[in-house]
Amino acid sequence: MRIITGKYKGRHFDIPRTFKARPTTDFAKENIFNVLTQYIDFEGAEALDLFSGTGSITLELLSRGCSRVVSVELDRDHHRFIQQCLQKLISQGDSSVIPLRGDVFRYIKSCKQQFDFIFADPPYALKELPTIPSLIFERGLLKEDGIFVFEHGKDNDFSGDPHFVEHRSYGSVNFSIFRTTATTSE
């Protein structure tokens, strides 16, 4: 796993072979972030990484200058790995990244903060996967003009969602991009 660009560009982290999580491929990650440059300036943005897995997106967001990144991951070993990667990058006492170990759905229900950018990469077989975009908007987790990127399998279609902006596909990796705007009625 490598960081594509930003202040930590080129840094590599070896993912333990025992991990079940499949990190977003470097190819897909690089391409989706290239698309996102037309939607958001990450410098100073507040971001949320749901189903963080290996922390690949969290690290990329940190490298791209986000002022705050909240990373939510349930698996104990994956959470520990994310913490170890962060310790290699950031100084002690840096509060720009908050790695939380917990259930994403509980976090969404209790979260009182809004974000400029949200990324979610749930397991593709997760039965609640189709409900995640609506939960994000129902709970008001995005700031005005905020962007939500949802990684999912090829069998999911979110084009009918009122917040849907576009779909991108890179090999077997699919992303749906959503946006909230001032004219959107929540």
Side-chain angles (χ1 to χ4, degrees):
M1 171 178 84
R2 75 179 168 97
I3 298 175
I4 305 297
T5 198
K7 64 183 172 184
Y8 303 119
K9 179 181 180 177
R11 294 288 299 266
H12 287 265
F13 298 91
D14 293 324
I15 301 167
R17 294 182 188 272
T18 58
F19 276 19
K20 296 170 271 180
R22 41 150 190 77
T24 303
T25 65
D26 287 347
F27 173 75
K29 182 169 63 171
E30 183 170 10
N31 280 289
I32 195 63
F33 273 96
N34 285 342
V35 169
L36 290 172
T37 59
Q38 66 183 316
Y39 291 107
I40 187 169
D41 179 3
F42 289 102
E43 189 67 40
E46 293 184 333
L48 174 62
D49 182 12
L50 299 171
F51 304 96
S52 299
T54 61
S56 173
I57 299 299
T58 294
L59 298 174
E60 192 69 37
L61 291 167
L62 179 64
S63 183
R64 289 172 184 260
C66 285
S67 64
R68 186 165 191 254
V69 181
V70 177
S71 169
V72 184
E73 173 55 45
L74 181 60
D75 185 276
R76 178 188 46 139
D77 294 333
H78 295 183
H79 178 259
R80 186 178 307 122
F81 178 75
I82 293 167
Q83 288 179 306
Q84 291 168 352
C85 292
L86 290 169
Q87 287 171 356
K88 292 176 183 176
L89 292 180
I90 60 178
S91 62
Q92 203 69 8
D94 186 334
S95 62
S96 61
V97 180
I98 302 168
L100 301 175
R101 181 171 173 245
D103 179 79
V104 165
F105 294 100
R106 284 188 185 146
Y107 178 82
I108 289 171
K109 287 178 184 171
S110 66
C111 182
K112 304 290 187 229
Q113 181 181 353
Q114 288 189 315
F115 298 90
D116 299 296
F117 179 78
I118 299 174
F119 187 93
D121 179 10
Y124 290 178
L126 185 71
K127 67 177 182 168
E128 299 91 351
L129 183 143
T131 68
I132 294 171
S134 60
L135 286 174
I136 296 296
F137 290 100
E138 286 169 9
R139 298 296 304 167
L141 297 184
L142 275 177
K143 293 180 182 177
E144 186 176 306
D145 288 327
I147 297 295
F148 169 46
V149 174
F150 190 45
E151 185 174 334
H152 55 82
K154 65 179 172 134
D155 296 329
N156 299 100
D157 179 7
F158 297 97
S159 59
D161 187 287
H163 303 282
F164 178 82
V165 177
E166 70 174 290
H167 173 263
R168 294 290 178 127
S169 179
Y170 305 103
S172 63
V173 181
N174 289 267
F175 297 102
S176 287
I177 301 172
F178 303 83
R179 170 180 248 159
T180 184
T181 61
T183 58
T184 303
S185 58
E186 303 290 337

